[in-house]
Amino acid sequence: MRYIEEIGRYGLMLLEIFRKPTKWSVMRKLILKEIDELIFNSLGIIIFISFFIGGVVTIQTALNLTSPFLPKSLIGFATRQSVILEFAPTFISIIMVGKVGSYITSSIGSMRVTEQIDALEVMGVNSVNYLIFPKLIAMLFYPFAIAIAMYTGIFGGWMAAMFGNYAPTADFIAGIQEDFVGFHVTYAFIKSLVFAVIIATLPAYHGYYLKGGALEVGKAATVSFIWTSVVIIIVNYVLTQLLLG
Amino acid sequence: MIQVEHISKAFGEATVLKDISTTFERGKTNLIIGQSGSGKTVFLKSLIGLHETDKGRIAFDGVYLDTLERDEQRELRKAMGMVFQGSALFDSMTVAENVCFPLQMFTSYSSKEKSEQVDRVLERVNLVDAHQKYPSELSGGMKKRVAIARAIVMNPKFLFCDEPNSGLDPKTAILIDDLIQEITREYNITTLINTHDMNSVMQIGEKIVFIKEGKVAWEGSKEEIFVTNNQAISDFVYASDLYQNVRKVYIEKAKSKT
Ligand SMILES: Nc1ncnc2c1ncn2[C@@H]1O[C@H](COP(=O)(O)OP(=O)(O)O)[C@@H](O)[C@H]1O
Ligand SMILES: [Mg+2]
């Protein structure tokens, strides 16, 4: 019962994001700030993680392909598929729930407990629009970050193949070009976009409707991380079944 | 003027406000007093619509809040200023940006006009050299001043202050109280102030509404508060010896008048 109520309230909040918008001159600045905070400031960690995860995927694949009859290009192929289909869009998104999601929950949550949200409402500002809309728009750039993660992941795989002597460069490159299905990339971008919307709004919900004090802000960030991750994992399953199944 | 008619408010099982009716006049500092947890903040937030009431109606200069759509309510709120208990300044903005915020959001003033307005109100609250500071760099009293400046920058008709001098030393507390009273008279605002501080009652209490267990237990002026026979308010006021003595003085005064 409580969950149904919460889902309803989340839905209403989503509608509220688009009502009575904040004036554009103010909103533009907010959006740019959020792009910087949510996207640019995440690129470092995204690149770092994808590079090494790509490398590990390559090593694992190579170590499991012991039969001499299997071509070495398979290593490149497997790396490309894993990185594009899951590691870049899903794995990175879970990391982003931890980074971006916690930031959103705690920044909005601390504004709630210090009555800054009330202050906005008293002035006649639609606080949901003011606080969440810029984050939502900024997160629409998230698929670009995922594209970077794809490149870096595959690049990391190639480096691992080369330096660990798992596959000759020519074979690896041939592998990543083998049986390329364009729709797989589309699928990954659709997923990333859906995850972006979830990462922008669900942690915001947890912060916005927070009750209590500073202690609750910390707790809310944790609860928000768990729920947002769970939702992403489930949505990932559903989208994969719908789009590829 | 604000008319409050039979408002009630509960959170789940817990009823916080029970059938409260009263009026607050323009140009006066109206005080709502009561113990911590008696529902003062809930009352104030219900008036400005931050809490939805379960029953009752509220009219601002004759306009009933419940006859307005949500967006119209937001319009009406532009005529209201509020000073929150913890000041509620925006952490990410400087003092000047905080004060300018309502102008930025709702007016089409030029930058020059905006900064003139900001200077004017910051000067009014005696804060002249803090424009570029962030809230974390301010003392409690300065934060209150900025919060007051932000609340009056749009020339509100209604001003709400939630425990404006809580957490301040007695001297600063009196300065803030006086400042609010001066502003109330100067701009002819209907001002409501929550407090549990008897010093404020003595200093600026023109109309006092005493809330106990969610009900209006007494209302009147500060002169009346010391001579009344109302048990509830007496218990609240005479928690301190000082005010027992003050009571004697007032009763003497009242006698000598008759
Ligand atoms: N949002 C809320 N949800 C549930 N209970 C609340 C809420 N806000 C206040 N209360 C309860 O209402 C009562 C009055 O609180 P409040 O108005 O803050 O008192 P005070 O007179 O100290 O300002 C308290 O018991 C408080 O726990
Ligand atoms: Mg209070």
Side-chain angles (χ1 to χ4, degrees), chain A residues 108-204:
Chain A
I108 296 183
S110 65
M111 288 187 73
R112 167 61 77 194
V113 302
T114 57
E115 298 181 306
Q116 291 176 52
I117 292 181
D118 286 342
L120 287 170
E121 285 291 329
V122 171
M123 290 174 195
V125 176
N126 176 352
S127 59
V128 172
N129 171 267
Y130 180 84
L131 294 171
I132 307 176
F133 185 77
K135 296 180 172 62
L136 185 60
I137 299 302
M139 283 304 279
L140 296 184
F141 290 90
Y142 183 61
F144 290 105
I146 294 304
I148 292 173
M150 289 174 183
Y151 279 108
T152 336
I154 294 170
F155 180 72
W158 176 30
M159 290 295 112
M162 205 158 75
F163 290 111
N165 276 324
Y166 294 109
T169 291
D171 287 351
F172 189 88
I173 300 289
I176 60 180
Q177 292 172 337
E178 223 169 82
D179 295 331
F180 183 74
V181 184
F183 183 70
H184 284 173
V185 177
T186 312
Y187 152 82
F189 283 141
I190 292 174
K191 277 207 313 199
S192 315
L193 205 57
V194 175
F195 296 163
V197 171
I198 295 170
I199 295 174
T201 57
L202 199 50

Side-chain angles (χ1 to χ4, degrees), chain B residues 40-41 85 162-163 194:
Chain B
K40 300 184 296 294
T41 300
Q85 186 163 2
D162 194 6
E163 312 231 3
N194 273 354

Side-chain angles (χ1 to χ4, degrees), chain B:
Chain B
M1 194 171 84
I2 302 174
Q3 291 153 272
V4 179
E5 298 172 8
H6 306 290
I7 66 165
S8 296
K9 172 71 188 167
F11 294 104
E13 295 289 286
T15 311
V16 180
L17 303 177
K18 295 168 197 157
D19 193 36
I20 293 197
S21 298
T22 186
T23 56
F24 302 105
E25 281 170 41
R26 172 176 288 262
K28 277 193 180 173
T29 41
N30 301 278
L31 265 56
I32 295 131
I33 62 171
Q35 281 184 339
S36 281
S38 57
K40 300 184 296 294
T41 300
V42 172
F43 178 64
L44 221 56
K45 289 192 175 175
S46 300
L47 291 193
I48 45 182
L50 286 176
H51 289 316
E52 262 177 58
T53 52
D54 303 326
K55 278 198 210 110
R57 313 183 81 190
I58 302 145
F60 292 87
D61 285 344
V63 179
Y64 282 92
L65 205 58
D66 58 0
T67 59
L68 303 177
E69 293 290 316
R70 185 122 152 240
D71 287 344
E72 290 173 320
Q73 286 189 13
R74 281 197 173 118
E75 280 308 307
L76 178 65
R77 288 204 201 129
K78 288 174 198 164
M80 304 181 191
M82 172 132 183
V83 178
F84 288 87
Q85 186 163 2
S87 297
L89 301 178
F90 302 122
D91 300 319
S92 56
M93 301 180 197
T94 63
V95 166
E97 285 166 351
N98 263 284
V99 176
C100 193
F101 186 81
L103 301 174
Q104 193 87 32
M105 295 297 277
F106 300 115
T107 68
S108 46
Y109 292 169
S110 69
S111 315
K112 189 163 159 284
E113 285 168 319
K114 278 186 277 199
S115 74
E116 277 169 8
Q117 279 290 79
V118 169
D119 290 348
R120 179 182 65 83
V121 289
L122 279 175
E123 205 168 303
R124 184 64 198 81
V125 299
N126 306 318
L127 207 64
V128 280
D129 48 8
H131 285 58
Q132 296 313 317
K133 289 207 166 91
Y134 282 89
S136 59
E137 303 170 292
L138 304 178
S139 70
M142 286 162 93
K143 280 187 196 164
K144 284 282 149 68
R145 288 172 198 278
V146 179
I148 293 170
R150 187 178 67 182
I152 60 172
V153 73
M154 296 278 281
N155 296 315
K157 291 194 207 133
F158 310 95
L159 181 63
F160 302 87
C161 307
D162 194 6
E163 312 231 3
N165 53 22
S166 72
L168 301 181
D169 62 88
K171 204 173 158 198
T172 312
I174 289 174
L175 290 175
I176 296 290
D177 279 345
D178 285 343
L179 178 65
I180 293 171
Q181 184 164 49
E182 285 162 23
I183 287 169
T184 300
R185 292 184 178 157
E186 245 169 71
Y187 296 72
N188 197 23
I189 307 176
T190 309
T191 299
L192 268 69
I193 302 162
N194 273 354
T195 185
H196 59 247
D197 183 2
M198 279 308 294
N199 291 324
S200 300
V201 172
M202 293 304 293
Q203 192 80 10
I204 56 169
E206 291 181 277
K207 160 147 190 183
I208 299 151
V209 176
F210 174 56
I211 295 185
K212 191 183 176 191
E213 286 157 10
K215 291 187 185 135
V216 176
W218 184 84
E219 53 184 304
S221 69
K222 78 174 172 203
E223 286 77 18
E224 288 162 349
I225 206 169
F226 290 104
V227 294
T228 174
N229 292 321
N230 183 298
Q231 193 57 42
I233 186 81
S234 300
D235 289 348
F236 179 75
V237 173
Y238 305 125
S240 123
D241 286 344
L242 172 64
Y243 289 104
Q244 304 217 1
N245 295 328
V246 175
R247 176 182 164 88
K248 282 180 197 141
V249 175
Y250 268 89
I251 288 177
E252 287 302 311
K253 250 201 214 167
K255 272 184 194 157
S256 61
K257 264 186 205 159
T258 51

Side-chain angles (χ1 to χ4, degrees), chain A residues 198-213:
Chain A
I198 295 170
I199 295 174
T201 57
L202 199 50
Y205 169 84
H206 280 96
Y208 192 84
Y209 289 104
L210 188 107
K211 282 203 178 87

